[in-house]
Amino acid sequence: MGCGGSKPATTTAAPQAAGAPKKASGKKTFDGEYKRGRTLGEGAFSVVIEATKKSTGESFAVKVVTKSKLTKEDEVALKDEIQVLKELQHDHIIRLYDVFEEKSYWYLITEQMKGGELFDRIVSKSYYNEKEARDVCKILFESIGYCHARSIAHRDLKPENLLLLSEDDDSMVKIADFGFAKKCLTPNSLTTQCGTPGYVAPEILEGVAYDTKSDMWSLGVIIYIILGGYPPFIEQNQRELFRKIRRGQYEFHEEYWGSVSADAKDLISKLLTVDPAKRLSCEEALQHKWMMQDASVLAAADLGTNLSELRKYNAKRKFKAAVQAVIIANKMTSLGADFKANL
């Protein structure tokens, strides 16, 4: 699904703004301030590169957006994203340190997330329990609650956008990719249909006005996967998938959920509630019984069987993403060849 225009890129580095863009006409330019390094990722309108700040030697991830590839709608969305993220300064939200607007490109300088995706870290564990899952949930509720308190809806929460700052710290999870983020100043004031199939809230699929509660549904899906090892809504046919989401049609299969605590399942049920008015907010979720449970009790609740399922699901998810990346790359190559042939 899209969101108005296309996002400039879906990459592992997403911006968080900090100050007004620097114009090329000023003394400072991107290449004057930074030394370019290797490519970290590519999208339809942008490339993410590693860059070193010349004055300090610090390493950053830089999203380089090609202006000529943006529609007017895309450009508005990019500026909205930067504007929205100027407000967000949180330990668990990816930081944008600088923005350069030059003649042909935008440069968004972000912290470099060297730890990869959270899900990859979880599946590499040899032992996994409900306390570890709860620790992740606490970070998600607190960071998204911070956004919601500032009337900002993320609108594209999914495993690909949960990243780790380093390879040796499981607690530094950061929410990334705010390309669909939008200010939501009053209840039910958003109307654009956007998100990712499997994680999108039913009210968005229904085409009715919605608000920040749509993020709570997406968190419910993510938490279901973190605990159960597989998604609550799985269908090869997208129409059937959306039908199940709109109805809130999922179940806790005994084989995988029999050993999961009843409180954890109750929390998921209160998030995967079709009526957004009855769905928990981040603040309410943090006060839920499972979130308040004694750590030693949750540490004793082994999720070993479900960890095996999560490994399978994660491998499929990564394979699908890799195939999609190849399809996009081939399309771009084909478009380039067609362009040259018509010269």
Side-chain angles (χ1 to χ4, degrees), residues 75-205:
E75 192 175 352
V76 169
L78 180 64
K79 287 178 180 176
D80 279 352
E81 178 183 359
I82 293 168
Q83 192 62 38
V84 158
L85 290 167
K86 282 180 183 177
E87 297 183 36
L88 303 179
Q89 299 283 325
H90 191 278
D91 285 345
H92 294 289
I93 294 173
I94 201 165
R95 288 285 301 277
L96 174 70
Y97 291 105
D98 217 342
V99 180
F100 291 82
E101 182 187 3
E102 301 186 10
K103 185 180 177 183
S104 301
Y105 301 96
W106 283 88
Y107 298 92
L108 283 68
I109 290 84
T110 73
E111 60 187 328
Q112 193 173 347
M113 303 300 291
K114 295 184 176 178
E117 292 182 14
L118 169 67
F119 273 41
D120 291 340
R121 180 71 56 85
I122 292 174
V123 299
S124 70
K125 294 175 182 286
S126 53
Y127 181 75
Y128 182 52
N129 59 47
E130 282 193 29
K131 181 196 173 294
E132 291 172 283
R134 199 262 305 272
D135 290 345
V136 170
C137 295
K138 188 170 188 289
I139 289 169
L140 296 180
F141 290 138
E142 286 178 348
S143 52
I144 294 302
Y146 173 88
C147 295
H148 291 178
R150 284 151 186 80
S151 304
I152 293 168
H154 184 284
R155 303 202 296 180
D156 197 22
L157 292 169
K158 57 185 176 180
E160 290 82 351
N161 293 337
L162 307 179
L163 307 178
L164 288 155
L165 185 62
S166 70
E167 294 177 356
D168 51 14
D169 187 352
D170 286 11
S171 66
M172 281 313 292
V173 181
K174 300 221 176 196
I175 310 284
D177 201 340
F178 281 75
F180 286 160
K182 191 77 174 173
K183 269 281 187 181
C184 181
L185 297 173
T186 55
N188 300 318
S189 59
L190 302 177
T191 55
T192 309
Q193 287 187 297
C194 61
T196 298
Y199 302 91
V200 66
E203 60 268 28
I204 295 179
L205 295 177

Side-chain angles (χ1 to χ4, degrees), residues 68 97 100 110 216 269 291:
S68 62
Y97 291 105
F100 291 82
T110 73
M216 302 312 296
S269 299
M291 294 299 298

Side-chain angles (χ1 to χ4, degrees), residues 123-299:
V123 299
S124 70
K125 294 175 182 286
S126 53
Y127 181 75
Y128 182 52
N129 59 47
E130 282 193 29
K131 181 196 173 294
E132 291 172 283
R134 199 262 305 272
D135 290 345
V136 170
C137 295
K138 188 170 188 289
I139 289 169
L140 296 180
F141 290 138
E142 286 178 348
S143 52
I144 294 302
Y146 173 88
C147 295
H148 291 178
R150 284 151 186 80
S151 304
I152 293 168
H154 184 284
R155 303 202 296 180
D156 197 22
L157 292 169
K158 57 185 176 180
E160 290 82 351
N161 293 337
L162 307 179
L163 307 178
L164 288 155
L165 185 62
S166 70
E167 294 177 356
D168 51 14
D169 187 352
D170 286 11
S171 66
M172 281 313 292
V173 181
K174 300 221 176 196
I175 310 284
D177 201 340
F178 281 75
F180 286 160
K182 191 77 174 173
K183 269 281 187 181
C184 181
L185 297 173
T186 55
N188 300 318
S189 59
L190 302 177
T191 55
T192 309
Q193 287 187 297
C194 61
T196 298
Y199 302 91
V200 66
E203 60 268 28
I204 295 179
L205 295 177
E206 292 288 1
V208 298
Y210 63 95
D211 52 36
T212 54
K213 282 288 189 75
S214 60
D215 285 341
M216 302 312 296
W217 176 278
S218 303
L219 288 179
V221 174
I222 290 168
I223 294 165
Y224 183 104
I225 298 169
I226 286 172
L227 285 163
Y230 60 97
F233 307 101
I234 316 173
E235 280 299 329
Q236 295 299 327
N237 180 302
Q238 190 164 284
R239 182 177 289 182
E240 184 62 20
L241 172 71
F242 288 168
R243 187 185 68 81
K244 284 192 170 181
I245 291 170
R246 288 200 307 271
R247 292 181 178 181
Q249 192 179 327
Y250 71 95
E251 58 183 294
F252 296 112
H253 303 95
E254 184 62 27
E255 182 183 352
Y256 303 106
W257 291 91
S259 59
V260 176
S261 64
D263 288 340
K265 288 181 272 196
D266 182 68
L267 173 62
I268 291 169
S269 299
K270 287 182 165 67
L271 292 168
L272 295 182
T273 296
V274 173
D275 182 354
K278 294 177 181 174
R279 201 177 298 154
L280 293 184
S281 65
C282 283
E283 197 175 348
E284 290 166 338
L286 284 164
Q287 297 302 314
H288 188 274
K289 192 177 177 183
W290 184 68
M291 294 299 298
M292 306 293 283
Q293 179 61 270
D294 185 83
S296 60
V297 173
L298 296 185

